[in-house]
Amino acid sequence: MPLDTSSYTLAHLRLDGRRWNELRRMSGQISTQAAADGSSYLEMGNTKVICTIQGPVESRRGGGSAQNAEAKIEVEINLAGFSGIERKRRGKGDKRTSEMQHTIASAFASTLSTNLYPHSTITINLHILSQDGSPLAACINAATLALIDAGIPMTDYIAACTAGSTASYASNDEEADPLLDLNGQEEQELPFLTVGTLGTEDKISVLMMETRVQTSRLEAMIAVGLDGCRQIRSMLDNIVRAHGNDLLQKSTT
């Protein structure tokens, strides 16, 4: 069933009641798994993710080559069979899952102080319990919280969100409006991208486009995504502050 885009122009509201620049409800917790070195639980709308961190753990393989001079970051994403509309489990060789794992590992490799942990491995385990749009952004945000909980030094943390365009085949740019934080139905029907920023200076560390869109609309989509990342970062700050006492106790034990 095609998305009814007429609702955007008539009421300036999306199908879930949000305006074009409005985020879904977001909530999160840290230190959710006592057995892990760092952990978090994050909800972005109906997309729900659990993240656990293992490490840094010294590699069992010997050798002092230059390739082992910094910690290696491994990312594993598991999608619950009940997480989406299709009741099936994606295998480890799934293309989209592999791309997400590579993107997350690359993003945090340039952010974490991996040089402090030579010959070690940091494993980021992500479990997607429910899918309703923005899975990559939700995984990045959950991993950020879990890495903060683990106490692994980083230059700054990454905040991510999605942005899309309402009319993929509009005859002119005036008919295409940018959208922030797409849900699952919008992602199926509209072009979108995932953007992640490092720090408060809008330094882009993640930019993934999974659909085709006219280049004239790309700039507006990125601008909306950057604004969303600033809002996400503020929300992540609030989550960390809310659990500040837990982090303090963890660092002193």
Side-chain angles (χ1 to χ4, degrees):
M1 178 179 179
L3 192 65
D4 183 12
T5 57
S6 62
S7 60
Y8 295 99
T9 56
L10 292 176
H12 300 287
L13 294 177
R14 294 149 77 170
L15 299 181
D16 56 7
R18 292 182 294 145
R19 298 191 182 278
W20 66 273
N21 61 345
E22 188 176 352
L23 292 170
R24 293 173 292 176
R25 179 185 58 83
M26 177 175 167
S27 62
Q29 298 178 359
I30 56 178
S31 299
T32 57
Q33 307 291 327
D37 295 308
S39 58
S40 67
Y41 172 75
L42 183 75
E43 293 185 3
M44 292 179 64
N46 291 323
T47 298
K48 304 175 183 180
V49 180
I50 292 176
C51 181
T52 59
I53 304 296
Q54 295 179 347
V57 177
E58 187 174 357
S59 177
R60 295 181 179 179
R61 297 180 180 179
S65 63
Q67 294 180 351
N68 297 326
E70 297 183 357
K72 178 182 178 182
I73 298 177
E74 296 182 349
V75 178
E76 296 183 4
I77 298 177
N78 298 291
L79 290 87
F82 52 81
S83 63
I85 298 177
E86 297 181 0
R87 303 288 179 172
K88 65 178 182 179
R89 186 181 298 273
R90 290 176 180 261
K92 292 185 177 180
D94 178 73
K95 182 179 180 181
R96 189 183 186 193
T97 301
S98 299
E99 289 177 349
M100 289 172 59
Q101 291 176 162
H102 176 74
T103 299
I104 295 171
S106 299
F108 285 106
S110 60
T111 303
L112 300 177
S113 300
T114 54
N115 60 303
L116 300 178
Y117 307 101
H119 318 295
S120 300
T121 301
I122 300 171
T123 304
I124 303 174
N125 295 288
L126 292 151
H127 304 271
I128 301 178
L129 304 180
S130 177
Q131 300 183 69
D132 188 29
S134 308
L136 176 59
C139 285
I140 291 174
N141 295 329
T144 291
L145 291 175
L147 289 166
I148 293 173
D149 182 44
I152 301 175
M154 61 181 76
T155 56
D156 211 322
Y157 56 83
I158 304 174
C161 72
T162 57
S165 179
T166 57
S168 55
Y169 301 104
S171 58
N172 57 69
D173 292 339
E174 294 180 357
E175 298 179 14
D177 298 321
L179 292 179
L180 178 64
D181 189 18
L182 276 65
N183 60 34
Q185 184 178 1
E186 290 171 335
E187 283 190 354
Q188 292 178 8
E189 302 293 339
L190 303 175
F192 71 96
L193 57 81
T194 302
V195 59
T197 59
L198 179 66
T200 58
E201 299 180 354
D202 292 342
K203 181 180 179 181
I204 296 177
S205 59
V206 175
L207 184 60
M208 176 176 281
M209 187 82 189
E210 299 188 56
T211 55
R212 302 173 68 177
V213 67
Q214 295 181 13
T215 55
S216 57
R217 298 180 187 133
L218 189 59
E219 183 177 355
M221 292 169 62
I222 294 176
V224 169
L226 292 176
D227 180 69
C229 289
R230 287 190 289 269
Q231 297 181 55
I232 293 288
R233 180 185 172 88
S234 178
M235 294 178 181
L236 296 179
D237 282 335
N238 292 335
I239 294 172
V240 174
R241 291 193 190 101
H243 297 81
N245 292 334
D246 294 338
L247 290 175
L248 181 61
Q249 292 177 0
K250 189 171 184 177
S251 64
T252 56
T253 57

